[in-house]
Amino acid sequence: IQLTQSPSSLSASVGDRVTISCRASQGISSYLAWYQQKPGKAPRLLIYAASTLQSGVPPRFSGSGSGTDFTLTISSLQPEDSATYYCQKLSSYPLTFGGGTKVDIK
Amino acid sequence: EVQLLESGGGLVQPGGSLRLSCAASGFTFNNYAMSWVRQAPGKGLEWVSSISDSGDTTPYADSVRGRFTISRDNSKNTLYLQMNSLTAEDTAMYFCAKCASTCQHQNFQHWGQGTLVTVSS
């Protein structure tokens, strides 16, 4: 099962609503997580089970979808959200990651 | 507080071997599955392998199966990755991750800071 993220990069202004797509080549139910990674740092879990917010993550982050189509939304982009975002399927091994979406602040 | 501290990375020649360690603290290690994830320079994340809490289930990525071995010592709260027959394509930052109980059907809840492996002559 392949995961395709789009776009591969985007640039948006502070306060913008940002959406990132992750599409699976086969259905994976809701077994999808989203991670944020800043340069030189380890990834950080944001969302699991497609839509459950990890403890401590700001509520401007949300996830939706099931089956093959998933979305990560940042409702109001903040400067500290500049990072690369990855989806990961957890339905079965291999626990593949998407290719990543780099988010820059204009 | 969960802490994961990787070690053992470094420069190794093609065809060589290396063993990575991940020392865990702040949680009951033998209750959680663990994983290794790597990231080549400037590239995305690649899942490498996972191990169940008891160590009896160890799936691998196709790219490392037969060359890498994941293991754990629950008495020492330590995760390992034995890497053999290394090639330049194995050059990456290697992260250990604590899963939320299991890895499959759950998530990678906590991550270490990584240890860099460079395969070069």
mmCIF file of all heavy atoms in Angstrom, chain A residues 33-73:
data_model
loop_
_atom_site.group_PDB
_atom_site.id
_atom_site.type_symbol
_atom_site.label_atom_id
_atom_site.label_comp_id
_atom_site.label_asym_id
_atom_site.label_seq_id
_atom_site.Cartn_x
_atom_site.Cartn_y
_atom_site.Cartn_z
ATOM 1 N N ALA A 33 -1.756 8.157 10.938
ATOM 2 C CA ALA A 33 -1.233 9.166 11.859
ATOM 3 C C ALA A 33 -0.551 10.276 11.066
ATOM 4 O O ALA A 33 -0.121 10.078 9.932
ATOM 5 C CB ALA A 33 -0.238 8.532 12.830
ATOM 6 N N TRP A 34 -0.470 11.439 11.709
ATOM 7 C CA TRP A 34 0.222 12.589 11.140
ATOM 8 C C TRP A 34 1.322 13.033 12.105
ATOM 9 O O TRP A 34 1.115 13.072 13.319
ATOM 10 C CB TRP A 34 -0.747 13.755 10.930
ATOM 11 C CG TRP A 34 -1.746 13.567 9.841
ATOM 12 C CD1 TRP A 34 -3.026 13.114 9.962
ATOM 13 C CD2 TRP A 34 -1.545 13.858 8.449
ATOM 14 N NE1 TRP A 34 -3.644 13.106 8.734
ATOM 15 C CE2 TRP A 34 -2.764 13.553 7.787
ATOM 16 C CE3 TRP A 34 -0.480 14.344 7.690
ATOM 17 C CZ2 TRP A 34 -2.935 13.726 6.401
ATOM 18 C CZ3 TRP A 34 -0.655 14.519 6.332
ATOM 19 C CH2 TRP A 34 -1.857 14.208 5.704
ATOM 20 N N TYR A 35 2.475 13.380 11.538
ATOM 21 C CA TYR A 35 3.617 13.834 12.314
ATOM 22 C C TYR A 35 4.112 15.167 11.758
ATOM 23 O O TYR A 35 4.013 15.435 10.559
ATOM 24 C CB TYR A 35 4.768 12.823 12.261
ATOM 25 C CG TYR A 35 4.395 11.457 12.763
ATOM 26 C CD1 TYR A 35 3.831 10.516 11.908
ATOM 27 C CD2 TYR A 35 4.600 11.095 14.097
ATOM 28 C CE1 TYR A 35 3.473 9.253 12.369
ATOM 29 C CE2 TYR A 35 4.255 9.840 14.558
ATOM 30 C CZ TYR A 35 3.690 8.926 13.692
ATOM 31 O OH TYR A 35 3.333 7.679 14.155
ATOM 32 N N GLN A 36 4.704 15.948 12.651
ATOM 33 C CA GLN A 36 5.349 17.209 12.280
ATOM 34 C C GLN A 36 6.845 17.057 12.549
ATOM 35 O O GLN A 36 7.238 16.546 13.600
ATOM 36 C CB GLN A 36 4.789 18.350 13.147
ATOM 37 C CG GLN A 36 5.448 19.692 12.950
ATOM 38 C CD GLN A 36 5.051 20.665 14.071
ATOM 39 O OE1 GLN A 36 5.366 20.465 15.234
ATOM 40 N NE2 GLN A 36 4.342 21.730 13.711
ATOM 41 N N GLN A 37 7.669 17.504 11.610
ATOM 42 C CA GLN A 37 9.097 17.462 11.828
ATOM 43 C C GLN A 37 9.717 18.803 11.448
ATOM 44 O O GLN A 37 9.553 19.269 10.314
ATOM 45 C CB GLN A 37 9.772 16.345 11.028
ATOM 46 C CG GLN A 37 11.251 16.189 11.371
ATOM 47 C CD GLN A 37 11.948 15.111 10.573
ATOM 48 O OE1 GLN A 37 11.607 14.850 9.415
ATOM 49 N NE2 GLN A 37 12.925 14.461 11.189
ATOM 50 N N LYS A 38 10.443 19.380 12.380
ATOM 51 C CA LYS A 38 11.192 20.606 12.125
ATOM 52 C C LYS A 38 12.645 20.256 11.840
ATOM 53 O O LYS A 38 13.131 19.203 12.272
ATOM 54 C CB LYS A 38 11.053 21.557 13.310
ATOM 55 C CG LYS A 38 9.606 22.005 13.514
ATOM 56 C CD LYS A 38 9.457 22.992 14.641
ATOM 57 C CE LYS A 38 7.988 23.425 14.752
ATOM 58 N NZ LYS A 38 7.768 24.407 15.840
ATOM 59 N N PRO A 39 13.353 21.099 11.101
ATOM 60 C CA PRO A 39 14.733 20.773 10.705
ATOM 61 C C PRO A 39 15.626 20.427 11.890
ATOM 62 O O PRO A 39 15.647 21.134 12.896
ATOM 63 C CB PRO A 39 15.193 22.065 10.011
ATOM 64 C CG PRO A 39 13.949 22.682 9.494
ATOM 65 C CD PRO A 39 12.895 22.373 10.525
ATOM 66 N N GLY A 40 16.320 19.306 11.758
ATOM 67 C CA GLY A 40 17.251 18.874 12.792
ATOM 68 C C GLY A 40 16.601 18.279 14.018
ATOM 69 O O GLY A 40 17.299 17.988 14.999
ATOM 70 N N LYS A 41 15.306 18.082 13.962
ATOM 71 C CA LYS A 41 14.579 17.547 15.118
ATOM 72 C C LYS A 41 13.918 16.218 14.780
ATOM 73 O O LYS A 41 13.759 15.848 13.620
ATOM 74 C CB LYS A 41 13.492 18.542 15.570
ATOM 75 C CG LYS A 41 14.036 19.896 15.989
ATOM 76 C CD LYS A 41 14.887 19.788 17.228
ATOM 77 C CE LYS A 41 15.300 21.168 17.736
ATOM 78 N NZ LYS A 41 16.155 21.078 18.955
ATOM 79 N N ALA A 42 13.511 15.520 15.830
ATOM 80 C CA ALA A 42 12.758 14.286 15.651
ATOM 81 C C ALA A 42 11.314 14.609 15.278
ATOM 82 O O ALA A 42 10.796 15.691 15.608
ATOM 83 C CB ALA A 42 12.786 13.464 16.937
ATOM 84 N N PRO A 43 10.646 13.701 14.601
ATOM 85 C CA PRO A 43 9.216 13.896 14.338
ATOM 86 C C PRO A 43 8.424 13.953 15.640
ATOM 87 O O PRO A 43 8.831 13.408 16.668
ATOM 88 C CB PRO A 43 8.835 12.661 13.522
ATOM 89 C CG PRO A 43 10.120 12.185 12.920
ATOM 90 C CD PRO A 43 11.162 12.486 13.972
ATOM 91 N N ARG A 44 7.262 14.607 15.542
ATOM 92 C CA ARG A 44 6.346 14.755 16.684
ATOM 93 C C ARG A 44 4.970 14.294 16.250
ATOM 94 O O ARG A 44 4.469 14.717 15.196
ATOM 95 C CB ARG A 44 6.298 16.215 17.110
ATOM 96 C CG ARG A 44 5.245 16.585 18.152
ATOM 97 C CD ARG A 44 5.040 18.098 18.147
ATOM 98 N NE ARG A 44 4.075 18.541 19.139
ATOM 99 C CZ ARG A 44 3.521 19.765 19.139
ATOM 100 N NH1 ARG A 44 3.852 20.649 18.216
ATOM 101 N NH2 ARG A 44 2.662 20.090 20.075
ATOM 102 N N LEU A 45 4.359 13.425 17.039
ATOM 103 C CA LEU A 45 3.012 12.934 16.732
ATOM 104 C C LEU A 45 1.991 14.055 16.930
ATOM 105 O O LEU A 45 1.951 14.687 17.989
ATOM 106 C CB LEU A 45 2.670 11.751 17.636
ATOM 107 C CG LEU A 45 1.257 11.175 17.509
ATOM 108 C CD1 LEU A 45 1.042 10.538 16.134
ATOM 109 C CD2 LEU A 45 0.999 10.167 18.630
ATOM 110 N N LEU A 46 1.180 14.293 15.895
ATOM 111 C CA LEU A 46 0.117 15.292 15.968
ATOM 112 C C LEU A 46 -1.269 14.660 16.097
ATOM 113 O O LEU A 46 -2.067 15.047 16.951
ATOM 114 C CB LEU A 46 0.116 16.170 14.705
ATOM 115 C CG LEU A 46 1.326 17.023 14.395
ATOM 116 C CD1 LEU A 46 1.104 17.736 13.057
ATOM 117 C CD2 LEU A 46 1.596 18.010 15.509
ATOM 118 N N ILE A 47 -1.545 13.728 15.204
ATOM 119 C CA ILE A 47 -2.876 13.145 15.047
ATOM 120 C C ILE A 47 -2.723 11.638 14.914
ATOM 121 O O ILE A 47 -1.805 11.177 14.210
ATOM 122 C CB ILE A 47 -3.575 13.672 13.776
ATOM 123 C CG1 ILE A 47 -3.707 15.188 13.777
ATOM 124 C CG2 ILE A 47 -4.934 12.986 13.558
ATOM 125 C CD1 ILE A 47 -4.824 15.729 14.611
ATOM 126 N N TYR A 48 -3.581 10.858 15.550
ATOM 127 C CA TYR A 48 -3.600 9.412 15.331
ATOM 128 C C TYR A 48 -5.040 8.954 15.141
ATOM 129 O O TYR A 48 -5.984 9.714 15.396
ATOM 130 C CB TYR A 48 -2.909 8.665 16.480
ATOM 131 C CG TYR A 48 -3.551 8.834 17.838
ATOM 132 C CD1 TYR A 48 -4.485 7.924 18.309
ATOM 133 C CD2 TYR A 48 -3.206 9.902 18.664
ATOM 134 C CE1 TYR A 48 -5.060 8.068 19.555
ATOM 135 C CE2 TYR A 48 -3.778 10.065 19.911
ATOM 136 C CZ TYR A 48 -4.701 9.145 20.354
ATOM 137 O OH TYR A 48 -5.272 9.299 21.596
ATOM 138 N N ALA A 49 -5.180 7.731 14.672
ATOM 139 C CA ALA A 49 -6.505 7.208 14.320
ATOM 140 C C ALA A 49 -7.252 8.190 13.412
ATOM 141 O O ALA A 49 -8.456 8.407 13.567
ATOM 142 C CB ALA A 49 -7.304 6.887 15.576
ATOM 143 N N ALA A 50 -6.509 8.797 12.528
ATOM 144 C CA ALA A 50 -7.011 9.708 11.490
ATOM 145 C C ALA A 50 -7.506 11.055 12.010
ATOM 146 O O ALA A 50 -7.348 12.071 11.311
ATOM 147 C CB ALA A 50 -8.110 9.052 10.657
ATOM 148 N N SER A 51 -8.080 11.083 13.217
ATOM 149 C CA SER A 51 -8.712 12.334 13.647
ATOM 150 C C SER A 51 -8.552 12.645 15.128
ATOM 151 O O SER A 51 -9.111 13.642 15.607
ATOM 152 C CB SER A 51 -10.210 12.302 13.310
ATOM 153 O OG SER A 51 -10.852 11.234 13.982
ATOM 154 N N THR A 52 -7.806 11.829 15.870
ATOM 155 C CA THR A 52 -7.644 12.051 17.304
ATOM 156 C C THR A 52 -6.408 12.904 17.567
ATOM 157 O O THR A 52 -5.299 12.541 17.156
ATOM 158 C CB THR A 52 -7.538 10.719 18.059
ATOM 159 O OG1 THR A 52 -8.696 9.925 17.789
ATOM 160 C CG2 THR A 52 -7.408 10.964 19.554
ATOM 161 N N LEU A 53 -6.612 14.017 18.245
ATOM 162 C CA LEU A 53 -5.522 14.941 18.525
ATOM 163 C C LEU A 53 -4.661 14.404 19.665
ATOM 164 O O LEU A 53 -5.183 14.075 20.750
ATOM 165 C CB LEU A 53 -6.104 16.307 18.896
ATOM 166 C CG LEU A 53 -5.154 17.507 18.924
ATOM 167 C CD1 LEU A 53 -4.676 17.838 17.513
ATOM 168 C CD2 LEU A 53 -5.853 18.715 19.545
ATOM 169 N N GLN A 54 -3.365 14.307 19.437
ATOM 170 C CA GLN A 54 -2.460 13.880 20.488
ATOM 171 C C GLN A 54 -2.441 14.929 21.604
ATOM 172 O O GLN A 54 -2.530 16.141 21.348
ATOM 173 C CB GLN A 54 -1.048 13.675 19.916
ATOM 174 C CG GLN A 54 0.057 13.444 20.938
ATOM 175 C CD GLN A 54 -0.050 12.112 21.658
ATOM 176 O OE1 GLN A 54 -0.996 11.349 21.484
ATOM 177 N NE2 GLN A 54 0.940 11.819 22.481
ATOM 178 N N SER A 55 -2.305 14.460 22.833
ATOM 179 C CA SER A 55 -2.261 15.356 23.980
ATOM 180 C C SER A 55 -1.154 16.410 23.818
ATOM 181 O O SER A 55 -0.026 16.089 23.417
ATOM 182 C CB SER A 55 -2.009 14.546 25.255
ATOM 183 O OG SER A 55 -1.860 15.385 26.371
ATOM 184 N N GLY A 56 -1.512 17.658 24.105
ATOM 185 C CA GLY A 56 -0.532 18.734 24.042
ATOM 186 C C GLY A 56 -0.426 19.423 22.694
ATOM 187 O O GLY A 56 0.240 20.453 22.571
ATOM 188 N N VAL A 57 -1.095 18.888 21.685
ATOM 189 C CA VAL A 57 -1.050 19.490 20.344
ATOM 190 C C VAL A 57 -2.132 20.572 20.253
ATOM 191 O O VAL A 57 -3.278 20.340 20.657
ATOM 192 C CB VAL A 57 -1.270 18.411 19.261
ATOM 193 C CG1 VAL A 57 -1.377 19.044 17.870
ATOM 194 C CG2 VAL A 57 -0.137 17.398 19.303
ATOM 195 N N PRO A 58 -1.781 21.736 19.728
ATOM 196 C CA PRO A 58 -2.776 22.829 19.657
ATOM 197 C C PRO A 58 -4.005 22.431 18.853
ATOM 198 O O PRO A 58 -3.891 21.747 17.829
ATOM 199 C CB PRO A 58 -2.003 23.949 18.959
ATOM 200 C CG PRO A 58 -0.570 23.652 19.209
ATOM 201 C CD PRO A 58 -0.457 22.162 19.250
ATOM 202 N N PRO A 59 -5.173 22.874 19.261
ATOM 203 C CA PRO A 59 -6.422 22.487 18.585
ATOM 204 C C PRO A 59 -6.590 23.072 17.192
ATOM 205 O O PRO A 59 -7.559 22.734 16.504
ATOM 206 C CB PRO A 59 -7.513 22.992 19.541
ATOM 207 C CG PRO A 59 -6.871 24.062 20.343
ATOM 208 C CD PRO A 59 -5.432 23.670 20.473
ATOM 209 N N ARG A 60 -5.673 23.933 16.731
ATOM 210 C CA ARG A 60 -5.761 24.409 15.336
ATOM 211 C C ARG A 60 -5.414 23.281 14.355
ATOM 212 O O ARG A 60 -5.694 23.387 13.168
ATOM 213 C CB ARG A 60 -4.847 25.612 15.104
ATOM 214 C CG ARG A 60 -3.374 25.364 15.281
ATOM 215 C CD ARG A 60 -2.575 26.634 14.996
ATOM 216 N NE ARG A 60 -1.139 26.431 15.163
ATOM 217 C CZ ARG A 60 -0.507 26.562 16.320
ATOM 218 N NH1 ARG A 60 -1.181 26.886 17.414
ATOM 219 N NH2 ARG A 60 0.802 26.355 16.393
ATOM 220 N N PHE A 61 -4.817 22.202 14.871
ATOM 221 C CA PHE A 61 -4.544 21.030 14.045
ATOM 222 C C PHE A 61 -5.738 20.072 14.135
ATOM 223 O O PHE A 61 -6.260 19.809 15.220
ATOM 224 C CB PHE A 61 -3.283 20.287 14.519
ATOM 225 C CG PHE A 61 -2.009 21.039 14.272
ATOM 226 C CD1 PHE A 61 -1.473 21.865 15.254
ATOM 227 C CD2 PHE A 61 -1.333 20.922 13.064
ATOM 228 C CE1 PHE A 61 -0.293 22.568 15.036
ATOM 229 C CE2 PHE A 61 -0.159 21.619 12.829
ATOM 230 C CZ PHE A 61 0.366 22.446 13.819
ATOM 231 N N SER A 62 -6.146 19.560 12.976
ATOM 232 C CA SER A 62 -7.202 18.555 12.970
ATOM 233 C C SER A 62 -6.974 17.596 11.810
ATOM 234 O O SER A 62 -6.326 17.940 10.822
ATOM 235 C CB SER A 62 -8.586 19.201 12.865
ATOM 236 O OG SER A 62 -8.723 19.880 11.633
ATOM 237 N N GLY A 63 -7.507 16.399 11.958
ATOM 238 C CA GLY A 63 -7.398 15.390 10.922
ATOM 239 C C GLY A 63 -8.762 14.821 10.596
ATOM 240 O O GLY A 63 -9.652 14.778 11.456
ATOM 241 N N SER A 64 -8.916 14.384 9.357
ATOM 242 C CA SER A 64 -10.180 13.784 8.941
ATOM 243 C C SER A 64 -9.911 12.735 7.874
ATOM 244 O O SER A 64 -8.810 12.664 7.315
ATOM 245 C CB SER A 64 -11.131 14.857 8.409
ATOM 246 O OG SER A 64 -10.609 15.467 7.249
ATOM 247 N N GLY A 65 -10.943 11.946 7.612
ATOM 248 C CA GLY A 65 -10.867 10.950 6.548
ATOM 249 C C GLY A 65 -10.901 9.533 7.053
ATOM 250 O O GLY A 65 -10.738 9.267 8.253
ATOM 251 N N SER A 66 -11.129 8.623 6.132
ATOM 252 C CA SER A 66 -11.067 7.190 6.401
ATOM 253 C C SER A 66 -11.024 6.475 5.058
ATOM 254 O O SER A 66 -11.397 7.060 4.025
ATOM 255 C CB SER A 66 -12.249 6.703 7.241
ATOM 256 O OG SER A 66 -13.441 6.808 6.506
ATOM 257 N N GLY A 67 -10.593 5.221 5.093
ATOM 258 C CA GLY A 67 -10.505 4.471 3.834
ATOM 259 C C GLY A 67 -9.238 4.804 3.073
ATOM 260 O O GLY A 67 -8.167 4.312 3.419
ATOM 261 N N THR A 68 -9.346 5.651 2.063
ATOM 262 C CA THR A 68 -8.179 5.978 1.239
ATOM 263 C C THR A 68 -7.817 7.458 1.243
ATOM 264 O O THR A 68 -6.719 7.807 0.812
ATOM 265 C CB THR A 68 -8.406 5.551 -0.224
ATOM 266 O OG1 THR A 68 -9.558 6.228 -0.734
ATOM 267 C CG2 THR A 68 -8.600 4.036 -0.335
ATOM 268 N N ASP A 69 -8.704 8.322 1.679
ATOM 269 C CA ASP A 69 -8.456 9.763 1.596
ATOM 270 C C ASP A 69 -8.470 10.426 2.963
ATOM 271 O O ASP A 69 -9.458 10.313 3.704
ATOM 272 C CB ASP A 69 -9.492 10.428 0.686
ATOM 273 C CG ASP A 69 -9.315 10.029 -0.763
ATOM 274 O OD1 ASP A 69 -8.170 10.068 -1.244
ATOM 275 O OD2 ASP A 69 -10.322 9.670 -1.399
ATOM 276 N N PHE A 70 -7.385 11.119 3.257
ATOM 277 C CA PHE A 70 -7.196 11.730 4.565
ATOM 278 C C PHE A 70 -6.704 13.166 4.394
ATOM 279 O O PHE A 70 -6.048 13.496 3.400
ATOM 280 C CB PHE A 70 -6.182 10.936 5.381
ATOM 281 C CG PHE A 70 -6.577 9.502 5.585
ATOM 282 C CD1 PHE A 70 -6.265 8.533 4.640
ATOM 283 C CD2 PHE A 70 -7.290 9.116 6.712
ATOM 284 C CE1 PHE A 70 -6.636 7.218 4.806
ATOM 285 C CE2 PHE A 70 -7.668 7.804 6.895
ATOM 286 C CZ PHE A 70 -7.350 6.850 5.944
ATOM 287 N N THR A 71 -7.009 13.996 5.391
ATOM 288 C CA THR A 71 -6.622 15.399 5.348
ATOM 289 C C THR A 71 -6.129 15.858 6.709
ATOM 290 O O THR A 71 -6.742 15.547 7.727
ATOM 291 C CB THR A 71 -7.811 16.282 4.918
ATOM 292 O OG1 THR A 71 -8.271 15.878 3.631
ATOM 293 C CG2 THR A 71 -7.396 17.749 4.853
ATOM 294 N N LEU A 72 -5.033 16.597 6.696
ATOM 295 C CA LEU A 72 -4.568 17.325 7.870
ATOM 296 C C LEU A 72 -4.865 18.793 7.619
ATOM 297 O O LEU A 72 -4.501 19.329 6.564
ATOM 298 C CB LEU A 72 -3.069 17.130 8.084
ATOM 299 C CG LEU A 72 -2.442 17.963 9.218
ATOM 300 C CD1 LEU A 72 -2.932 17.472 10.574
ATOM 301 C CD2 LEU A 72 -0.917 17.908 9.146
ATOM 302 N N THR A 73 -5.524 19.444 8.574
ATOM 303 C CA THR A 73 -5.875 20.851 8.444
ATOM 304 C C THR A 73 -5.257 21.653 9.586
ATOM 305 O O THR A 73 -5.326 21.235 10.746
ATOM 306 C CB THR A 73 -7.402 21.034 8.453
ATOM 307 O OG1 THR A 73 -7.977 20.314 7.358
ATOM 308 C CG2 THR A 73 -7.772 22.507 8.330
#
